[in-house]
Amino acid sequence: MKQSETLIPTLREVPADADIKSHQLLLRAGFIRQTASGVYSFLPLGKRVLRKVEEIVREEMDNAGASEMFMPALQPSELWMETGRWNTFGPELMRLRDRHDREFALGATHEEIITSLIRDEVKSYKKLPLKLYQIQTKFRDEKRPRFGLLRGREFIMKDAYSFHDSFESLDTAYQKMYQAYSNIFSRCGLNFRAVIADSGAMGGKDTHEFMVLSEVGEDTIAYSDTSDYAANIEMAPVVTNYTKSSEELKEMEKVATPNQKTMQDVADFLNHSLAKGLKTLMFKVDDKLVLVVTRGDHEVNDIKLKNLFEASIVELATEEETKTAIGAGFGSLGPVNVSEGIEVVADSAVQYVSNVSCGANADGYHYVNVNPDRDFQISQYADLRFIEEGDPSPDGNGTILFAKGIEVGHVFKLGKFYAEKMGAKYLDDQGKANTMIMGCYGIGVSRTLAAIVEQYHDENGITWPTKVAPFHVHLIAINSKKEEQKQLADEVYQTLKSAGIEVLYDDRKERAGVKFADSDLVGIPYRITVGKRADEGYVEFKHRTTGEQSELHQSELLESIKKLLEV
Amino acid sequence: MKQSETLIPTLREVPADADIKSHQLLLRAGFIRQTASGVYSFLPLGKRVLRKVEEIVREEMDNAGASEMFMPALQPSELWMETGRWNTFGPELMRLRDRHDREFALGATHEEIITSLIRDEVKSYKKLPLKLYQIQTKFRDEKRPRFGLLRGREFIMKDAYSFHDSFESLDTAYQKMYQAYSNIFSRCGLNFRAVIADSGAMGGKDTHEFMVLSEVGEDTIAYSDTSDYAANIEMAPVVTNYTKSSEELKEMEKVATPNQKTMQDVADFLNHSLAKGLKTLMFKVDDKLVLVVTRGDHEVNDIKLKNLFEASIVELATEEETKTAIGAGFGSLGPVNVSEGIEVVADSAVQYVSNVSCGANADGYHYVNVNPDRDFQISQYADLRFIEEGDPSPDGNGTILFAKGIEVGHVFKLGKFYAEKMGAKYLDDQGKANTMIMGCYGIGVSRTLAAIVEQYHDENGITWPTKVAPFHVHLIAINSKKEEQKQLADEVYQTLKSAGIEVLYDDRKERAGVKFADSDLVGIPYRITVGKRADEGYVEFKHRTTGEQSELHQSELLESIKKLLEV
């Protein structure tokens, strides 16, 4: 494509309202423009990258046995009422009325549409399993759209849905999708982790988020430094092998700790490390009061607490409730001498402490030299804390590190949630009607584009990985007015184009400096510069990422590039 | 793709609410399903055809020098107010409010968005001309959605826009687009005409509609039986060379024609052909009263009348107004003895009539043996009638025939209409600000799919042209339970697939009759049936459209198909 004939409006300045690199660079390099808050136009370069990502997604979905389809954005409210989401989705769901005053949702997701379709069209186990996907614009009225393509109100998603007659069949599809997702993000050149995630209220068991590692990510991932283990920190079990120290047990004493409120206050006051204190919090677990004890350097993970009690709701008790039940406020709770009828549970690490301090259940007092079993009883020891950097990886390989991640994909075993609400049933081989079992699988396509830029840029612009780059080669004639340069550049353009190489040819009447700066910004992997030695047929060949450059003769150019692109 | 793994829900019955063949067949063959009135889901087969059409569109647009981009569906109302279309577009424009109560239009078309973008990004003549396109979902709240994909409320369009610094540059782009459109519809296998159309209120000069010939079309096309001339009937000039008959002029007489109201009534009563009477209508042309005379067998074309007077509004006078001005009602008007001050114009054919009848401007009376010039005066003879079948083609080649057409494309010279309203200016080489000149170019992509089916079907189903068929080959094992059939079919499937042939493999456990009926419905061009002679490696090869069939050995299959597909 000739640069003079297309629209690549580059900017020298960093746009004022763009806070992160991908947003800044996609604007500056002329890939996108904002039309309204959280609503973007993809300019020609942006659209080209989108299509590359979409093609990768499409190939991997097809390989995973899913069929592409295309569902509408206009979704009748009646379908959303069947699942109850017309009300529960809240203001994120954009809504409108047609000329006959019928209400529609603008597709934020398509579970209702696909479940309704399959309910009508698939009646027998013989037609299951079924995997369907689409690549499509989605609408979500985010309260605070930000970070450019990372959190928009109109964006492009691949969403897939699978339908099954058994959980085993769902497991198989889930594994295929998981593998397809890994392939997709690998092919996009991304450094990502498939992260064990919380299945939330849906009741499904397995769910993974695909997270691109990035400082600007909004989620924290716990991952192994040596294996591929990764989990949302909420979900990672702690498998630390605690050991009891050999120190001699001292005698428990009650000491005054006036005005020492936080764990750190008390540790400083008593002159010991955080780990030498016990942290005790009172929770309401489905309305039952429970004292939860962890080491002072650990944090209670309320999802684990909830799972331990198989509870619906877990929340911290108020200080008022604590005082009524225990006789002391937040800063002075402990497991020693707890009032009758209040269960005390503890994180596994607590079993291994010696001579620690804890609140005395009396305001302004702590015990020191407290020891488990001798001084207090615990009804259940369990894994109740958040994993931390330095903990062993739950898979037994390596040590846990933390990272921030951008969620670009999500695979999810929905189970019967939607099928039950919408009455999607099939007849089994005995002629009996059963509710279908479903999975859903999403990829943020436009978000992936931004995530790639977060991982691929330097101080001069974007450094696209070849497979998703808008073009393979950026061809520049330093001075298009010089006939020998123009002629050689034209020839190179034709040669490469005919060979299927994607070339952006900067034929503009701009200064060389402008062309080079724009070229670095746009970030096409290989640059060919036609300059001084044009009359001899020599051009300069440069790799955008490494900066490596060499002189090549026109005659060897095509072969070199083909080799590099593995065309 | 294995048919057992995808969703192709065929129907034996014709759906009740589907009136035309494309709607019926796309439903019956499992290509689409309705989600709401005028809103459809494309099932896997439908999506495959869509993608084929889109790829053809994309290639031809790229060849025409246009760059693909992607604009949002959510369009701020402010932009639509700039052009006034927020009010003038009416209820067809779907509208919604976001959570902050800001108003948006759902993209019915993108002139406002693209003009706003180019106004901001292009400041110099150096960056013109510019051609941009997108393939995207559009929303129009049709009052009466009908005919399946032919008139929906959510549909897929390719829309392109060009920006220029001169009308010559617009002409060049227009020609390229015109050629690209011809290529696109040819490659889709369509029998179509590029039809001269009315440019309406926009003031542009050239505009062509691309019409697929079809009985179900809503427009009438006048086309030449020998040349490629075609025009919307409103636009076709009449170039008939009328000749005066040699019959002797008779004496004019006034005769009573009691209760004879229509032209046909009078002709029957007076016992002559329709052409032997004059039809006289009174029009209000920008509030001036004008009598318009045509031959009795001709129809006044009010667009031509409007152009003759360079008027803004042309409408028929009411009978009341006629009586007041002329003294007679509708059935008895004529050009003889017209009240002072009323201009009388006539279609050119009137000049050549002899001894005709006409109303006597007195209710219940006509004149017979009326002759022009002798008995009445005409201020202007001009081409004022609709062209008719049998008229000579305006380009001088052949005779006009009529056909009904489905509009699948439209190329339009917008001129400065939008750029002026939105202030899209560029600096010319003198540094002077000028308003940009625009063109726009649309293709109904999903409508094209339906138009193809209107032209390609028989009594058993669809007969896709190869280039847009969902698959190249439909592979059927008559009895998948027979090991030798299953094995040969599996082998053929793998062989063809590996060679890049798109194969739908009917591996379902259905009766052969069901498979064949479904196969005819779906309409894939080539069918391979593995049956009785499977053990010898022989299959049956059948062409869907011609019904031609032959036996082929497995070993010669790939080459035969490759030749047919010109892969």
Side-chain angles (χ1 to χ4, degrees):
Chain A
M1 188 181 286
K2 289 187 176 174
Q3 208 157 336
S4 66
E5 293 178 359
T6 190
L7 181 66
I8 307 175
T10 53
L11 306 170
R12 289 287 163 265
E13 304 295 321
V14 177
D17 53 348
D19 295 327
I20 62 167
K21 279 291 171 188
S22 61
H23 191 194
Q24 292 169 1
L25 288 170
L26 289 169
L27 285 170
R28 287 186 56 208
F31 283 67
I32 60 171
R33 282 296 180 268
Q34 183 177 291
T35 297
S37 170
V39 178
Y40 290 85
S41 286
F42 291 84
L43 306 191
L45 290 182
K47 176 65 185 175
R48 287 183 75 92
V49 180
L50 265 189
R51 289 197 62 214
K52 299 256 170 126
V53 175
E54 287 173 7
E55 255 336 288
I56 291 173
V57 169
R58 197 166 266 138
E59 282 177 29
E60 295 293 341
M61 283 299 108
D62 292 348
N63 282 343
S67 297
E68 187 173 5
M69 57 183 298
F70 192 73
M71 290 180 276
L74 289 174
Q75 308 189 347
S77 58
E78 293 80 7
L79 293 178
W80 285 74
M81 286 173 184
E82 286 188 42
T83 61
R85 294 210 295 178
W86 184 254
N87 296 317
T88 58
F89 213 96
E92 266 192 33
L93 190 66
M94 304 191 92
R95 297 154 209 249
L96 74 159
R97 286 169 186 273
D98 72 4
R99 68 197 296 156
H100 305 296
D101 222 30
R102 287 197 201 95
E103 281 191 299
F104 287 83
L106 268 190
T109 171
H110 279 72
E111 280 86 2
E112 279 79 3
I113 302 293
I114 190 93
T115 308
S116 141
L117 179 76
I118 298 303
R119 165 180 70 185
D120 293 345
E121 303 299 339
V122 174
K123 305 292 189 189
S124 159
Y125 76 99
K126 286 184 198 166
K127 305 211 167 170
L128 298 175
L130 196 54
K131 283 173 275 184
L132 297 160
Y133 76 98
Q134 63 175 352
I135 298 173
Q136 206 223 25
T137 299
K138 296 278 189 277
F139 303 87
R140 284 184 205 166
D141 201 356
E142 289 281 346
K143 194 166 185 182
R144 211 161 62 85
R146 61 190 177 281
F147 297 161
L149 300 184
L150 281 188
R151 192 165 291 279
R153 300 200 290 172
E154 176 173 346
F155 52 94
I156 298 164
M157 259 190 80
K158 186 282 301 177
D159 45 329
Y161 306 90
S162 67
F163 295 84
H164 309 271
D165 64 354
S166 73
F167 282 96
E168 293 69 39
S169 167
L170 172 59
D171 288 345
T172 308
Y174 187 87
Q175 280 313 317
K176 277 206 172 169
M177 282 291 179
Y178 183 101
Q179 186 56 50
Y181 275 43
S182 300
N183 297 348
I184 288 164
F185 298 119
S186 296
R187 288 175 66 184
C188 288
L190 287 165
N191 181 11
F192 71 96
R193 297 277 175 161
V195 169
I196 299 160
D198 180 24
S199 56
M202 300 273 195
K205 198 172 151 241
D206 285 339
T207 171
H208 284 86
E209 289 163 356
F210 286 76
M211 293 277 190
V212 170
L213 304 185
S214 164
E215 281 171 17
V216 305
E218 298 179 293
D219 296 270
T220 302
I221 306 161
Y223 69 99
S224 164
D225 63 352
T226 52
S227 78
D228 66 354
Y229 179 85
N232 192 305
I233 49 161
E234 294 175 343
M235 296 302 295
V238 174
V239 299
T240 303
N241 245 332
Y242 304 105
T243 47
K244 195 98 183 175
S245 85
S246 55
E247 69 184 278
E248 209 171 308
L249 304 193
K250 298 181 189 161
E251 198 159 330
M252 184 173 89
E253 272 182 72
K254 187 172 183 178
V255 297
T257 48
N259 302 319
Q260 308 306 317
K261 284 285 181 187
T262 69
M263 288 306 298
Q264 191 64 54
D265 289 346
V266 174
D268 290 347
F269 184 82
L270 298 175
N271 197 25
H272 62 58
S273 70
L274 268 180
K276 272 295 197 183
L278 292 183
K279 182 189 291 180
T280 308
L281 298 172
M282 197 163 86
F283 279 87
K284 280 195 294 185
V285 177
D286 285 347
D287 293 328
K288 171 182 160 184
L289 293 175
V290 175
L291 273 189
V292 182
V293 187
T294 62
R295 243 169 46 188
D297 57 335
H298 291 156
E299 296 292 335
V300 175
N301 180 331
D302 48 358
I303 289 179
K304 290 180 178 177
L305 183 63
K306 194 170 157 186
N307 290 340
L308 179 70
F309 284 95
E310 292 174 0
S312 303
I313 301 167
V314 159
E315 54 185 356
L316 268 177
T318 64
E319 188 146 21
E320 197 61 35
E321 289 167 326
T322 309
K323 281 192 169 155
T324 307
I326 306 278
F330 281 167
S332 304
L333 300 182
V336 179
N337 297 329
V338 175
S339 329
E340 198 76 22
I342 297 180
E343 184 171 356
V344 185
V345 298
D347 177 64
S348 308
V350 172
Q351 199 162 6
Y352 299 89
V353 298
S354 306
N355 302 327
V356 291
S357 72
C358 71
N361 293 334
D363 286 339
Y365 287 91
H366 276 73
Y367 290 115
V368 294
N369 297 329
V370 176
N371 285 286
D373 301 332
R374 187 190 74 177
D375 302 323
F376 62 87
Q377 269 67 47
I378 293 296
S379 72
Q380 295 186 71
Y381 284 105
D383 170 17
L384 289 177
R385 70 167 171 97
F386 277 104
I387 202 164
E388 298 198 333
E389 286 196 295
D391 276 324
S393 176
D395 70 344
N397 296 308
T399 299
I400 285 298
L401 294 174
F402 282 0
K404 292 284 182 185
I406 299 167
E407 186 190 337
V408 288
H410 198 165
V411 290
F412 202 108
K413 292 186 182 172
L414 290 174
K416 299 185 177 180
F417 187 84
Y418 289 97
E420 214 148 55
K421 286 188 187 295
M422 299 187 75
K425 291 178 189 297
Y426 65 93
L427 296 180
D428 65 18
D429 56 0
Q430 309 297 314
K432 204 180 134 242
N434 290 296
T435 299
M436 290 185 194
I437 296 162
M438 289 173 61
C440 74
Y441 319 88
I443 288 180
V445 175
S446 40
R447 182 184 281 182
T448 296
L449 191 154
I452 295 170
V453 178
E454 285 297 333
Q455 290 195 342
Y456 287 89
H457 66 264
D458 62 18
E459 66 280 14
N460 297 319
I462 308 175
T463 57
W464 292 105
T466 307
K467 283 179 184 152
V468 293
F471 289 90
H472 300 134
V473 169
H474 206 166
L475 172 66
I476 296 180
I478 287 194
N479 187 345
S480 310
K481 285 175 203 153
K482 294 209 174 166
E483 188 49 39
E484 71 275 16
Q485 286 190 21
K486 187 181 176 311
Q487 197 184 321
L488 179 55
D490 284 354
E491 277 174 36
V492 169
Y493 180 54
Q494 289 306 331
T495 307
L496 297 184
K497 228 176 60 163
S498 316
I501 313 281
E502 299 170 20
V503 186
L504 180 64
Y505 175 16
D506 193 346
D507 61 335
R508 295 175 301 161
K509 292 186 183 99
E510 295 282 1
R511 287 181 298 108
V514 170
K515 291 184 179 183
F516 288 135
D518 280 354
S519 175
D520 281 344
L521 249 184
V522 163
I524 293 166
Y526 302 101
R527 182 200 290 168
I528 295 172
T529 307
V530 178
K532 280 182 201 158
R533 296 188 67 193
D535 50 349
E536 303 164 73
Y538 275 96
V539 303
E540 197 184 87
F541 188 74
K542 187 175 176 182
H543 188 234
R544 170 69 185 88
T545 307
T546 64
E548 243 177 282
Q549 59 185 69
S550 55
E551 283 208 318
L552 283 179
H553 192 264
Q554 171 181 18
S555 59
E556 49 189 349
L557 209 43
L558 181 57
E559 281 315 306
S560 305
I561 293 171
K562 272 191 176 171
K563 209 172 288 169
L564 287 166
L565 297 178
E566 299 163 324
V567 170
Chain B
M1 188 180 286
K2 290 188 177 173
Q3 207 158 336
S4 66
E5 293 177 358
T6 189
L7 181 66
I8 307 175
T10 53
L11 306 170
R12 288 288 160 263
E13 304 296 320
V14 177
D17 52 348
D19 295 326
I20 62 167
K21 278 292 173 188
S22 61
H23 191 192
Q24 292 169 1
L25 287 171
L26 288 170
L27 285 170
R28 287 187 56 208
F31 283 67
I32 58 171
R33 282 295 180 270
Q34 182 177 291
T35 297
S37 170
V39 178
Y40 290 85
S41 286
F42 291 85
L43 306 191
L45 290 181
K47 176 65 185 173
R48 286 183 76 92
V49 180
L50 266 188
R51 290 198 62 216
K52 299 256 169 126
V53 175
E54 287 173 9
E55 255 336 289
I56 290 173
V57 169
R58 196 166 267 136
E59 282 177 28
E60 295 294 340
M61 284 297 107
D62 291 347
N63 282 343
S67 297
E68 187 173 5
M69 58 182 301
F70 193 74
M71 290 181 277
L74 290 173
Q75 307 188 348
S77 59
E78 293 80 7
L79 292 177
W80 283 75
M81 286 172 183
E82 286 188 42
T83 61
R85 294 209 296 177
W86 183 254
N87 296 318
T88 58
F89 213 96
E92 264 190 36
L93 190 65
M94 303 191 92
R95 297 154 210 247
L96 72 159
R97 287 168 187 271
D98 72 4
R99 66 197 297 155
H100 304 297
D101 223 30
R102 288 197 200 95
E103 281 192 298
F104 287 82
L106 267 190
T109 171
H110 279 71
E111 280 86 2
E112 280 79 1
I113 302 291
I114 190 94
T115 308
S116 142
L117 178 76
I118 298 304
R119 164 179 74 186
D120 293 345
E121 304 298 340
V122 173
K123 306 290 188 191
S124 159
Y125 75 99
K126 287 184 200 165
K127 305 210 167 170
L128 298 174
L130 195 54
K131 283 172 275 184
L132 297 160
Y133 77 97
Q134 63 174 352
I135 298 173
Q136 207 223 25
T137 299
K138 296 278 189 277
F139 303 87
R140 284 184 204 166
D141 200 357
E142 290 281 346
K143 194 166 183 181
R144 211 161 62 87
R146 61 190 178 282
F147 296 160
L149 300 183
L150 281 188
R151 193 164 289 279
R153 300 200 290 172
E154 175 173 346
F155 52 95
I156 299 164
M157 259 190 79
K158 186 283 300 179
D159 45 330
Y161 306 90
S162 68
F163 295 85
H164 308 271
D165 63 353
S166 75
F167 282 97
E168 294 70 38
S169 167
L170 172 61
D171 288 345
T172 309
Y174 187 87
Q175 280 313 316
K176 277 205 174 173
M177 282 292 179
Y178 184 101
Q179 187 55 51
Y181 274 44
S182 300
N183 298 348
I184 288 165
F185 298 120
S186 297
R187 290 175 65 184
C188 288
L190 286 166
N191 181 11
F192 70 96
R193 296 276 173 161
V195 169
I196 299 160
D198 181 24
S199 55
M202 302 273 194
K205 199 174 151 238
D206 286 339
T207 171
H208 285 85
E209 290 163 354
F210 285 77
M211 293 278 190
V212 170
L213 304 185
S214 163
E215 282 172 16
V216 304
E218 298 178 293
D219 296 271
T220 302
I221 308 161
Y223 70 98
S224 163
D225 63 351
T226 52
S227 78
D228 65 355
Y229 178 85
N232 192 306
I233 51 162
E234 294 174 345
M235 297 302 296
V238 174
V239 299
T240 302
N241 246 332
Y242 304 105
T243 49
K244 195 97 182 175
S245 85
S246 56
E247 68 184 279
E248 209 169 309
L249 302 192
K250 299 181 188 159
E251 197 158 333
M252 185 173 89
E253 272 181 72
K254 188 171 181 179
V255 297
T257 49
N259 301 319
Q260 308 305 319
K261 284 285 181 188
T262 68
M263 289 304 300
Q264 192 62 57
D265 289 346
V266 174
D268 291 348
F269 185 82
L270 298 174
N271 196 26
H272 63 57
S273 70
L274 268 180
K276 272 294 197 184
L278 292 182
K279 182 189 292 180
T280 308
L281 298 172
M282 196 164 86
F283 280 87
K284 280 193 295 185
V285 177
D286 285 346
D287 293 329
K288 172 180 157 184
L289 293 176
V290 176
L291 274 188
V292 182
V293 187
T294 62
R295 241 168 47 187
D297 58 334
H298 291 156
E299 297 292 334
V300 176
N301 180 332
D302 48 359
I303 289 180
K304 291 180 177 177
L305 183 63
K306 194 169 155 186
N307 292 340
L308 179 70
F309 284 93
E310 292 172 2
S312 302
I313 299 167
V314 158
E315 53 184 357
L316 269 176
T318 63
E319 188 147 19
E320 197 60 36
E321 290 165 327
T322 309
K323 281 191 169 153
T324 308
I326 307 278
F330 281 167
S332 304
L333 300 182
V336 180
N337 297 328
V338 175
S339 331
E340 199 78 21
I342 296 182
E343 184 170 354
V344 186
V345 297
D347 177 64
S348 309
V350 172
Q351 198 160 6
Y352 300 90
V353 299
S354 308
N355 302 326
V356 291
S357 72
C358 70
N361 292 334
D363 287 337
Y365 287 92
H366 277 72
Y367 291 114
V368 295
N369 298 329
V370 176
N371 287 284
D373 302 332
R374 188 191 75 177
D375 303 323
F376 62 87
Q377 270 66 47
I378 293 295
S379 72
Q380 295 186 72
Y381 285 105
D383 171 16
L384 289 177
R385 70 166 172 98
F386 277 103
I387 201 163
E388 299 198 332
E389 286 195 296
D391 277 324
S393 177
D395 69 345
N397 296 308
T399 299
I400 284 297
L401 294 175
F402 281 0
K404 292 285 183 183
I406 299 166
E407 185 191 338
V408 288
H410 199 167
V411 292
F412 203 107
K413 292 186 182 172
L414 289 175
K416 299 186 178 179
F417 187 84
Y418 289 97
E420 215 148 57
K421 287 190 187 293
M422 298 188 74
K425 290 178 188 299
Y426 65 93
L427 296 179
D428 65 18
D429 57 359
Q430 308 296 315
K432 204 180 133 243
N434 291 296
T435 299
M436 291 185 193
I437 295 162
M438 289 173 60
C440 73
Y441 318 88
I443 288 180
V445 176
S446 40
R447 183 184 281 183
T448 296
L449 190 154
I452 296 169
V453 178
E454 285 297 333
Q455 289 195 343
Y456 288 90
H457 66 264
D458 61 18
E459 66 279 15
N460 297 319
I462 309 175
T463 57
W464 293 106
T466 307
K467 281 177 186 154
V468 293
F471 289 88
H472 301 134
V473 170
H474 206 165
L475 172 65
I476 296 180
I478 288 194
N479 187 346
S480 309
K481 284 176 205 153
K482 292 207 175 166
E483 188 48 40
E484 71 274 17
Q485 287 191 23
K486 187 180 178 307
Q487 196 185 321
L488 178 57
D490 283 355
E491 276 175 37
V492 169
Y493 180 54
Q494 288 307 332
T495 306
L496 298 184
K497 228 176 61 166
S498 315
I501 314 284
E502 299 169 21
V503 186
L504 180 65
Y505 175 17
D506 192 347
D507 62 334
R508 295 176 301 161
K509 292 185 184 100
E510 295 281 359
R511 286 181 298 107
V514 170
K515 291 184 178 182
F516 288 135
D518 280 353
S519 175
D520 281 344
L521 248 184
V522 163
I524 294 167
Y526 302 102
R527 181 200 291 168
I528 295 172
T529 307
V530 178
K532 280 182 200 157
R533 293 188 67 194
D535 49 348
E536 302 163 72
Y538 276 96
V539 302
E540 196 184 86
F541 187 74
K542 186 174 178 185
H543 187 234
R544 170 69 184 87
T545 307
T546 63
E548 243 177 284
Q549 59 187 65
S550 54
E551 283 207 318
L552 284 178
H553 191 265
Q554 172 182 19
S555 58
E556 49 189 348
L557 209 43
L558 180 57
E559 280 316 305
S560 305
I561 293 172
K562 271 189 176 172
K563 209 172 288 171
L564 287 166
L565 297 178
E566 300 162 325
V567 170

